[in-house]
């Protein structure tokens, strides 16, 4: 039987946290967190359970100071416990009419109930105590009728006090850390806590530390900083997603110590543990129809957030029609040319408590098919992610979201998932999306294919292009190379989409022929006037911003190595 130490008395929040973690454990109770840790360091208990965060009061500062001094233990797990605090008094005090002049409670309870106390007992004296059990006995023994205690309903009843008001604060939960002697194994849904030793002053230290995690796509869950009591040097506590045994995490930690901080033994690993989420998630599982690389890319990242995922396709043993009964959210991620047909085939199988998310490049046709083929109570949302499966993360990548009148909480949760991972989210309606994608994808792809064909027809060597191009004219060449360096089927489907983007290509083709004809006829003045009209349509802000971006690209392309390659 494990011996676990926590804060007492019997019936306290810590006591119930231990019961939730290990119902069979022998519970050893103390009145102070310091005593809890001392018992662990002395080998008198196997583990400790201590509060580290409360949704009302925030972090428990004392815990972080003590655990940073611990040399023989790791943070290995968490317990999230609802905290139900009640107001109580000696039996009969309320009925007789004695006013409350003194409120008794633990200091953490007062912080959690600050708003309630200010509203209902603004003139009462607050008396914070470490030993709540002794406080109950003192009030009873000395018949303190003007005293009241805020504590759990269970303790109130155990000491025979009268319950005056239940649940004086709502949405109150405490996160407890479990400290043990061996590092917890990886689960696939983990977090790692690290604290620095006292650091020397250096400009940008905090930003550099955070940037090391951010650039690796490692999400930061919590950040605290304070000055060390003895040295008054900065200490930083960071909790991030992922297990310390993951290679990406190890690389980040090694670089932080050796390159960023540049001090040996400057980081202390507090532990890795199954990730705890203080938020309420409604979605339990995602099912993908389409087993391509993009489906797998999203499925892997959703798994890292604690969701169950299923990927189905032509080659998978699990069939889409089976999977639909197993998942909360169905994600269609198939080639553009078959997206609408896939939705029409499987949409009727979805039930009212599910959501359909369409990952595709064309919205009007697919959304209309989804609305027509699914039950009216099924949630529906369209997402166009402007990145491929080669991307390391979503950070700073564009995602176009088209919500519908049937987009609900499941859709919002998926959108929040993308936002959390750094995606730049833009909302559109279906027609506007397809029109803009005609400009952003359909037209540039069409031009790239036509340009490559033109080079081939005139037998122009690609190696000769760079010597006869300005940096600006190279942009089209770079785009052509990018398109032809990837899957031709993908870009062929982009060009063949049926939405309003077709209008862009058709309009461009018409204008191109007109301008070619004007140029052939030597109508320089007319072409200049057309360009002036174009400039009036474009705002000065747009022109200046894009000019700034163009100069930045020019600067990169002017690099000696790149210029030689071109």
């Amino acid at each position: 039987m494990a011996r676990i130490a926590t804060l007492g008395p019997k019936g306290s929040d810590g006591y119930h946290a231990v019961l939730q973690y290990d119902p069979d454990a022998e519970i050893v109770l103390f009145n102070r967190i310091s005593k809890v840790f001392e018992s662990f360091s002395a080998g008198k208990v196997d583990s400790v359970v201590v509060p580290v965060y409360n949704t009302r009061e925030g972090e428990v500062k004392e815990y972080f100071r003590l655990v940073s001094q611990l040399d023989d233990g790791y943070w290995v797990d968490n317990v999230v416990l609802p905290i139900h605090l009640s107001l109580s008094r000696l039996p009969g005090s309320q009925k007789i009419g004695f006013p409350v002049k003194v409120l008794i409670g633990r200091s953490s309870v007062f912080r959690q109930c600050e708003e309630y106390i200010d509203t209902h007992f603004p003139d009462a004296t607050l008396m914070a105590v470490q030993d709540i059990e002794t406080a109950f006995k003192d009030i009873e023994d000395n018949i303190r009728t003007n005293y009241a205690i805020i504590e759990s309903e269970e303790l109130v009843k155990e000491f025979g006090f009268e319950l005056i008001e239940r649940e004086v604060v709502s949405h109150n939960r405490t996160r407890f850390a479990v400290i043990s002697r061996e590092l917890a194994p990886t689960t696939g849904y983990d977090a790692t806590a690290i604290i620095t030793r006292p650091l020397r002053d250096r400009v940008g230290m905090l930003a550099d530390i955070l940037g090391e995690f951010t650039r690796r796509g490692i999400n930061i869950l919590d950040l605290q900083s304070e000055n060390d009591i003895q040295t008054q040097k900065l200490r930083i506590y960071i909790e991030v997603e992922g297990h310390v045994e993951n290679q990406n995490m190890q690389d980040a930690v090694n670089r932080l110590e050796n390159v960023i901080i540049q001090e040996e033994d400057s980081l202390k690993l507090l532990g890795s543990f199954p990730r705890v989420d203080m938020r309420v998630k409604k979605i339990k599982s995602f099912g993908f129809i389409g087993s391509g690389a993009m489906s797998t890319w999203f499925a892997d990242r959703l798994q890292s957030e604690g969701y169950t995922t299923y990927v189905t396709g032509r080659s998978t043993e699990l069939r889409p029609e089976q999977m639909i009964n197993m998942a909360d959210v169905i994600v269609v991620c198939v080639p553009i040319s078959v997206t609408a047909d896939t939705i029409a085939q499987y949409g009727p199988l979805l039930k009212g408590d599910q959501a359909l998310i369409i990952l595709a490049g064309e919205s009007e046709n697919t959304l209309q098919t989804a609305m027509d083929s699914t039950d009216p109570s099924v949630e529906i949302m369209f997402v166009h992610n402007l990145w491929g499966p080669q991307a390391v993360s979503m950070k700073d990548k564009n995602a176009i979201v088209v919500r519908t009148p049937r987009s609900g909480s499941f859709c919002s949760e998926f959108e929040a998932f993308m936002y959390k991972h750094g995606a730049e989210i833009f909302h559109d309606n279906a027609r506007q999306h397809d029109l803009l994608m005609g400009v952003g994808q359909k037209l540039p792809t069409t031009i790239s294919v036509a340009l490559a064909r033109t080079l081939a027809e005139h037998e122009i060597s690609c190696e000769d292009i760079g010597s006869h191009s300005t940096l600006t004219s190279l942009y089209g060449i770079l785009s052509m190379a990018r398109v032809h360096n990837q899957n031709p089927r993908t870009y062929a489907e982009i060009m063949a989409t049926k939405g309003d983007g077709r209008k862009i290509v058709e309009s461009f083709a018409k204008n191109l022929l007109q301008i070619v004809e004007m140029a052939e006829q030597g109508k320089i003045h007319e072409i200049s006037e057309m360009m002036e009209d174009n400039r009036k349509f474009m705002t000065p802000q747009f022109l200046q911003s894009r000019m700034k971006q163009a100069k930045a690209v020019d600067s990169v392309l002017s690099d000696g190595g790149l210029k030689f390659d071109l």
Side-chain angles (χ1 to χ4, degrees), residues 24-71:
D24 299 322
E26 178 186 346
I27 303 176
V28 182
L29 300 171
F30 296 92
N31 289 326
R32 295 177 180 272
I33 292 182
S34 58
K35 296 296 181 183
V36 172
F37 279 100
E38 285 174 14
S39 70
F40 179 77
S41 297
K44 296 178 181 179
V45 295
D46 302 302
S47 306
V48 301
V49 173
V50 289
V52 293
Y53 178 82
N54 176 267
T55 52
R56 287 277 178 171
E57 65 171 315
E59 289 80 12
V60 181
K61 292 281 188 182
E62 186 180 2
Y63 160 76
F64 292 106
R65 294 193 185 103
L66 291 169
V67 78
S68 65
Q69 301 167 14
L70 200 62
D71 294 323

Side-chain angles (χ1 to χ4, degrees), residues 74-140:
Y74 295 100
W75 186 346
V76 299
D77 211 341
N78 297 271
V79 177
V80 177
L81 194 72
I83 306 299
H84 306 289
L85 296 173
S86 299
L87 181 72
S88 66
R89 301 180 66 179
L90 277 174
S93 299
Q94 179 84 355
K95 191 173 183 179
I96 296 172
F98 290 109
V100 174
K101 293 185 177 180
V102 179
L103 270 178
I104 306 290
R106 291 171 286 130
S107 56
S108 60
V109 167
F110 285 154
R111 289 192 293 271
Q112 293 167 29
C113 300
E114 185 175 354
E115 188 177 331
Y116 172 81
I117 293 170
D118 286 346
T119 301
H120 294 88
F121 302 101
D123 299 322
T125 299
L126 307 185
M127 186 180 296
V129 298
Q130 289 279 355
D131 189 344
I132 198 69
E133 187 174 5
T134 299
F136 273 111
K137 291 178 179 178
D138 175 73
I139 293 173
E140 183 177 21

Side-chain angles (χ1 to χ4, degrees), residues 417-434:
F417 153 75
M418 291 194 299
Y419 176 81
K420 174 189 172 183
H421 282 259
E424 295 282 351
I425 296 174
F426 299 90
H427 290 93
D428 262 339
N429 58 52
R431 181 182 177 279
Q432 182 76 354
H433 166 268
D434 288 355

Side-chain angles (χ1 to χ4, degrees), residues 121-305:
F121 302 101
D123 299 322
T125 299
L126 307 185
M127 186 180 296
V129 298
Q130 289 279 355
D131 189 344
I132 198 69
E133 187 174 5
T134 299
F136 273 111
K137 291 178 179 178
D138 175 73
I139 293 173
E140 183 177 21
D141 292 344
N142 293 283
I143 316 176
R144 302 188 188 277
T145 53
N146 291 117
Y147 281 45
I149 286 186
I150 300 179
E151 249 305 333
S152 69
E153 184 174 340
E154 184 172 335
L155 276 180
V156 168
K157 291 180 177 178
E158 183 174 328
F159 286 98
F161 273 48
E162 182 179 358
L163 195 64
I164 304 302
E165 186 175 353
R166 281 191 174 97
E167 199 79 5
V168 296
V169 287
S170 58
H171 310 296
N172 192 21
R173 286 172 291 165
T174 296
R175 175 187 180 186
F176 291 83
V178 181
I179 311 297
S180 197
R181 302 192 189 281
E182 300 292 332
L183 185 68
T186 182
T187 67
Y189 185 64
D190 302 295
T192 295
I194 298 168
I195 195 166
T196 68
R197 309 292 185 186
L199 301 174
R200 293 178 298 174
D201 289 341
R202 183 169 71 78
V203 174
M205 175 75 79
L206 179 58
D208 291 345
I209 290 175
L210 300 182
E212 186 60 33
F213 289 111
T214 300
R215 76 181 187 87
R216 296 176 184 274
I218 299 174
N219 187 46
I220 298 171
L221 298 169
D222 192 13
L223 169 70
Q224 300 172 47
S225 63
E226 65 176 2
N227 290 336
D228 178 60
I229 294 176
Q230 291 183 335
T231 65
Q232 286 301 295
K233 291 182 177 179
L234 182 69
R235 303 196 72 175
I236 301 170
Y237 164 85
I238 301 177
E239 186 178 334
V240 295
E241 292 180 355
H243 196 281
V244 71
E245 293 180 350
N246 296 347
Q247 189 60 53
N248 195 29
M249 183 73 72
Q250 288 183 3
D251 292 343
V253 171
N254 290 337
R255 183 174 169 82
L256 280 176
E257 191 162 71
N258 299 320
V259 179
I260 305 298
I261 300 175
Q262 299 178 10
E263 292 182 42
E264 188 177 352
D265 198 29
S266 58
L267 298 177
K268 176 178 175 58
L269 171 67
L270 300 183
S272 289
F273 39 81
R275 200 185 314 167
V276 62
D277 199 335
M278 302 295 281
R279 301 168 300 169
V280 177
K281 290 181 178 178
K282 292 187 175 183
I283 301 172
K284 299 294 187 297
S285 56
F286 285 84
F288 286 81
I289 299 177
S291 55
M294 204 70 245
S295 292
T296 304
W297 192 95
F298 269 103
D300 288 345
R301 281 151 185 81
L302 287 164
Q303 281 182 343
S304 74
E305 288 295 321

Side-chain angles (χ1 to χ4, degrees), residues 451-452 454-465:
L451 178 56
T454 302
L455 294 177
E457 286 178 357
H458 292 274
E459 298 182 352
I460 297 175
S461 170
C462 293
E463 284 72 22
D464 291 337
I465 296 174

